[in-house]
Amino acid sequence: MVDSIDWIINHHEIVAGTNALFGLIERDELSKSCIAIDGPGASGKGSINKILKAITGCGGTLNAGTFYRASAYVLDSLGIAPGDVTPRDIRNLNNHLSYNEDQSFVEYAGREITQELNGARVGEIVANYSNVKDIKSAIFSQQRTIIDSGGYVLDGRDMVKHICPDALFRIYYTASTSARAKRRYEQFQRSGSKCDRSKTFDDVFHDIELRDEQDFGNTDFIFLRPEEAQVEVLSGGNREGEYNIFVDTSGKDVLQSSIEILNKMRGVLVS
């Protein structure tokens, strides 16, 4: 697995692909557009988000999952079950949760909680809180306010069809269940949490299968489906064309996936 974003964006194939891309679209236009990345959990959306931001020159990144994870973590820590969330609880989240510009640092009431958001416990409970309509509505409003100025690379399970349907490039980023479970299991093994390290690969595999069932059975989220992502040129929205790109990262590292996305971005622009 390639870990260094700087190494990736300076790789000769990425540099060549980036130069070719900007031969098809003005750098200023792309940097002021939005690129939305959809897909199931543990597919690597967050990593490719950072890489595309660096390549395209977009001004910011938005990781939708961080908002949901933070809300779930706080409510669970306060002993508030998903079915018991009140408008007062939503106001508490809005007033006391804070994020830096790329959501890599999260605080609640002045205490950093960033590390806790990637733990196994949050992974197990986040879908239940994400299905609470008041939580979804509040997070949707936050995210739309952030991205309304344009120039963002966005990733999240409902990003393409719900949060930013008018993105210039809409990427469906996926991998097999076993590939995603392997990534998440390795993440847990690197974690400082004893609870996370106690998870077996089979535990993680089962958790991802369960989350997929919850996600794709949830019509409120309006996910971009794989078969939709493979219809590359769409009409409507705020542009003459928006472009859907499908990438399966199974068996690929981040560099290989980045090269494939760049090639497909160029491909849809000339099609």
Side-chain angles (χ1 to χ4, degrees):
M1 177 64 71
V2 180
D3 292 319
S4 169
I5 291 177
D6 287 339
W7 186 90
I8 290 172
I9 64 175
N10 288 300
H11 187 275
H12 67 93
E13 287 188 70
I14 295 293
V15 171
T18 302
N19 290 336
L21 178 66
F22 286 125
L24 298 169
I25 185 171
E26 291 291 333
R27 184 181 296 267
D28 188 56
E29 179 187 355
L30 184 54
S31 68
K32 292 178 180 177
S33 301
C34 284
I35 299 171
I37 308 166
D38 201 334
S43 56
K45 299 186 296 294
S47 297
I48 205 65
N49 183 325
K50 296 182 179 70
I51 291 165
L52 285 177
K53 176 183 181 292
I55 287 172
T56 62
C58 285
T61 63
L62 190 147
N63 181 302
T66 301
F67 291 79
Y68 286 104
R69 285 175 169 271
S71 297
Y73 172 78
V74 170
L75 292 167
D76 183 58
S77 299
L78 295 173
I80 301 169
D84 297 330
V85 175
T86 67
R88 181 178 179 181
D89 298 323
I90 300 298
R91 289 194 297 272
N92 175 57
L93 294 175
N94 289 339
N95 292 335
H96 296 292
L97 272 173
S98 60
Y99 311 82
N100 69 345
E101 63 181 9
D102 64 355
Q103 300 88 55
S104 61
F105 182 87
V106 185
E107 284 187 335
Y108 173 69
R111 181 176 71 88
E112 184 183 1
I113 59 171
T114 313
Q115 189 65 34
E116 288 89 334
L117 304 188
N118 292 318
R121 170 63 182 171
V122 174
E124 291 168 359
I125 64 174
V126 64
N128 297 325
Y129 287 96
S130 298
N131 288 331
V132 177
K133 289 190 175 182
D134 286 347
I135 293 176
K136 286 194 292 185
S137 178
I139 290 175
F140 173 81
S141 296
Q142 284 181 296
Q143 292 172 346
R144 282 302 318 183
T145 299
I146 291 170
I147 68 176
D148 273 346
S149 59
Y152 273 82
V153 183
L154 325 160
D155 73 84
R157 286 174 172 85
D158 59 342
M159 191 56 68
V160 167
K161 295 189 75 174
H162 186 52
I163 304 296
C164 194
D166 55 349
L168 177 59
F169 290 103
R170 301 182 287 193
I171 299 168
Y172 189 86
Y173 203 71
T174 190
S176 67
T177 306
S178 58
R180 291 184 287 126
K182 181 174 183 292
R183 290 171 186 159
R184 185 56 51 83
Y185 174 73
E186 290 173 350
Q187 177 188 357
F188 286 161
Q189 293 306 300
R190 293 192 299 268
S191 169
S193 164
K194 182 177 180 181
C195 175
D196 292 348
R197 292 198 307 272
S198 70
K199 286 261 185 181
T200 67
F201 175 82
D202 288 342
D203 291 335
V204 177
F205 188 96
H206 173 73
D207 289 345
I208 286 180
E209 281 191 317
L210 180 60
R211 182 62 193 271
D212 285 350
E213 290 175 8
Q214 293 170 323
D215 284 345
F216 288 100
N218 179 4
T219 56
D220 287 337
F221 266 74
I222 326 175
F223 295 98
L224 182 71
R225 308 288 173 161
E227 61 272 18
E228 294 173 309
Q230 296 186 66
V231 179
E232 292 183 335
V233 182
L234 304 180
S235 60
N238 295 331
R239 300 173 181 273
E240 288 185 31
E242 290 102 13
Y243 305 98
N244 281 5
I245 293 171
F246 179 86
V247 177
D248 187 333
T249 68
S250 304
K252 301 169 188 171
D253 62 27
V254 182
L255 174 61
Q256 292 168 324
S257 299
S258 302
I259 292 169
E260 181 175 346
I261 286 179
L262 272 176
N263 288 338
K264 289 187 172 182
M265 288 171 76
R266 296 200 316 272
V268 295
L269 285 173
V270 299
S271 62

